[in-house]
């Protein structure tokens, strides 16, 4: 595109998802006419997180692989669940095979893989009547759920949204994730 048509506020970002900010309006489950959710289903994978161990590129001086052992933690990510999704006994260990990476770069990449695997232990798929909800949901947003029970209420990170528009009908199919059960907020309003 010509430079004049570029939006000056556009920013490229390759870090972990920014799980902060003002949440979208709450999704209300099982509230009769006051509800705005057509359907919701949850999937919990307690063994979702994985540790990555092994060696990165071989050190030319010593002819040995540089060790990689990232800690299991969400790092700087804001916790959306009150309990970790993966008990330490269930953590899987995977081989870290990245021959082109060494040292700090390899450790940082392995830590990013750990974060990616840990943050989606709990998945929710929601179908929302967009006309009743009144807000367009976009990926990388935070959204709160209420009425789904203590284990599933609270904030979620929106991974994906599909919009279906027809005459007098607007449906949003939303895929959301977080790292475990329980809410970090006392009440979704």
């Amino acid at each position: 595109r010509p430079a004049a048509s570029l939006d000056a506020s556009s920013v490229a970002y390759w870090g972990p998802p920014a799980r902060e900010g003002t949440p979208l309006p709450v999704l209300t489950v099982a509230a009769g006419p006051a509800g705005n959710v057509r359907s919701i289903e949850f999937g919990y994978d307690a063994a979702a997180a994985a540790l990555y161990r092994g060696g990165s590129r071989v050190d030319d001086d010593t002819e040995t692989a540089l060790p990689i052992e990232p800690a299991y933690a969400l790092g700087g990510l804001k916790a959306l669940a009150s309990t970790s999704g993966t008990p330490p006994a269930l953590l899987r260990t995977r081989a870290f095979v990245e021959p082109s990476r060494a040292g700090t770069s390899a450790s940082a990449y392995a830590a990013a893989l750990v974060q990616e695997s840990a943050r989606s232990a709990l998945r929710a798929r929601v179908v929302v009547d967009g006309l009743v909800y009144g807000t367009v949901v976009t990926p990388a947003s935070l959204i709160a759920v209420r009425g789904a029970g203590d284990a599933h209420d609270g904030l979620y990170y929106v991974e994906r949204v599909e919009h279906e528009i027809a005459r007098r009908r607007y449906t949003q199919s939303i895929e959301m994730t977080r790292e475990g059960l329980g809410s970090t907020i006392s009440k979704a309003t």
Side-chain angles (χ1 to χ4, degrees):
R1 290 198 275 173
S5 68
L6 292 176
D7 180 4
S9 66
S10 296
V11 176
Y13 176 72
W14 284 274
R19 295 168 21 147
E20 300 197 12
T22 305
L24 296 174
V26 69
L27 295 174
T28 305
V29 180
N36 52 20
V37 172
R38 285 188 181 175
S39 68
I40 189 166
E41 63 181 53
F42 296 97
Y44 181 66
D45 184 1
L51 286 175
Y52 289 81
R53 290 205 167 104
S56 66
R57 189 174 72 190
V58 172
D59 184 357
D60 294 333
D61 295 334
T62 63
E63 296 291 324
T64 60
L66 300 171
I68 298 298
E69 293 200 30
Y72 171 64
L74 287 178
L77 292 179
K78 177 184 175 186
L80 300 180
S82 61
T83 60
S84 169
T86 307
L90 294 178
L91 284 173
R92 294 175 295 147
T93 301
R94 298 183 129 180
F96 181 82
V97 181
E98 280 291 325
S100 64
R101 297 182 189 273
T104 307
S105 171
S107 295
Y109 186 70
L113 292 172
V114 170
Q115 286 184 8
E116 175 71 27
S117 68
R119 73 171 185 246
S120 59
L122 180 61
R123 292 193 160 277
R125 289 183 179 83
V126 185
V127 177
V128 176
D129 184 332
L131 298 176
V132 173
Y133 184 57
T135 300
V136 175
V137 178
T138 58
S141 301
L142 290 180
I143 195 164
V145 172
R146 72 173 164 212
D150 291 341
H152 298 104
D153 281 357
L155 291 173
Y156 288 82
Y157 181 77
V158 177
E159 297 275 348
R160 182 178 175 186
V161 184
E162 289 184 12
H163 304 272
E164 184 179 325
I165 301 171
R167 184 173 288 172
R168 295 188 203 101
R169 189 179 66 175
Y170 173 40
T171 303
Q172 300 179 80
S173 299
I174 308 165
E175 291 184 24
M176 311 178 301
T177 61
R178 71 178 186 200
E179 66 278 3
L181 300 172
S183 180
T184 57
I185 58 175
S186 59
K187 184 178 180 183
T189 56

